[in-house]
Amino acid sequence: MKLRPRDTLVVASHNKGKVREIVELLAPFNLHVFGANDIDIEEPEETETTFAGNAALKARWVADRCGHMALADDSGLVVNALGGEPGIYSARWAGPGKDFYVAMARVERELKEKGATDPSAYFVSALALALPHEEPRIFQGEVHGHLTFPPRGTNGFGYDPIFVPNGETLTFGEMDPAKKLAMNHRTRAFQKLTASDIFER
Ligand code: IMP
């Protein structure tokens, strides 16, 4: 599996925040990058039980349907005091309206109900790169930190307003987007991908 300058790569996601971050990370590699939205492929059901499993499922789904290499990310917030939830269900906690203020309120409520004292949490990103009808390659990154309530900041997306990475005082929602991008889970997974033998320079 190789990626060369001017190859076409489809980002297998309908999440605009994620696609924006991935397109930015891919910018130095001179590829033709499309989002799954641009080529009108619907989203598959995420039926696997791990981040890596769901990323592989999404990448394979898009690659097999469009005939190009596809890159998918499955990501989410793992809260230690909640036994790892919302985890792979991070998007689903936002409900059909995809309202992450609903999801963040649920995290706060469940922590209170449990009388939890451990605010530690981390974001995970599993990236899967698939060629049509081939087994995807997986690269995983994490960023560790703690949760804070109420949510702060309007930058970013998803759970960003309640997450403070280790060594920082601002939430990802308050942080300059370039600074978040430099340290987040997706970038760390990406660094593993770009350090691999896949990119031909
Ligand atoms: P999925 O990978 O599309 O199933 O959804 C992952 C969900 O995790 C997203 O919808 C976000 O709510 C959350 N998430 C993933 N990455 C981030 C991030 O960088 N910041 C905030 N929330 C994130």
Side-chain angles (χ1 to χ4, degrees), residues 116-196:
T117 51
D118 172 12
S120 69
Y122 57 99
F123 279 116
V124 177
S125 163
L127 287 175
L129 191 65
L131 274 174
H133 313 294
E134 275 193 25
E135 199 51 41
R137 298 261 315 255
I138 309 285
F139 304 88
Q140 191 156 309
E142 297 176 2
V143 58
H144 289 253
H146 70 269
L147 302 181
T148 183
F149 298 96
R152 302 195 319 248
T154 53
N155 294 338
F157 63 96
Y159 297 86
D160 281 342
I162 58 169
F163 183 80
V164 180
N166 285 343
E168 301 292 330
T169 50
L170 297 182
T171 68
F172 269 169
E174 295 171 308
M175 202 176 274
D176 175 60
K179 186 167 179 191
K180 176 197 164 190
L181 190 60
M183 69 169 72
N184 81 2
H185 46 310
R186 208 162 290 105
T187 301
R188 290 183 178 168
F190 219 83
Q191 284 162 347
K192 293 188 186 167
L193 163 62
T194 54
S196 75

Side-chain angles (χ1 to χ4, degrees), residues 45-96:
E45 210 185 318
E46 295 181 17
T47 50
E48 295 291 332
T49 54
T50 61
F51 290 109
N54 279 328
L57 177 154
K58 289 188 276 191
R60 203 184 281 133
W61 173 276
V62 170
D64 289 354
R65 277 160 186 76
C66 73
H68 292 294
M69 194 180 261
L71 179 67
D73 157 287
D74 197 59
S75 51
L77 178 70
V78 177
V79 181
N80 292 316
L82 298 182
E85 297 241 284
I88 60 164
Y89 303 105
S90 293
R92 281 164 268 188
W93 276 32

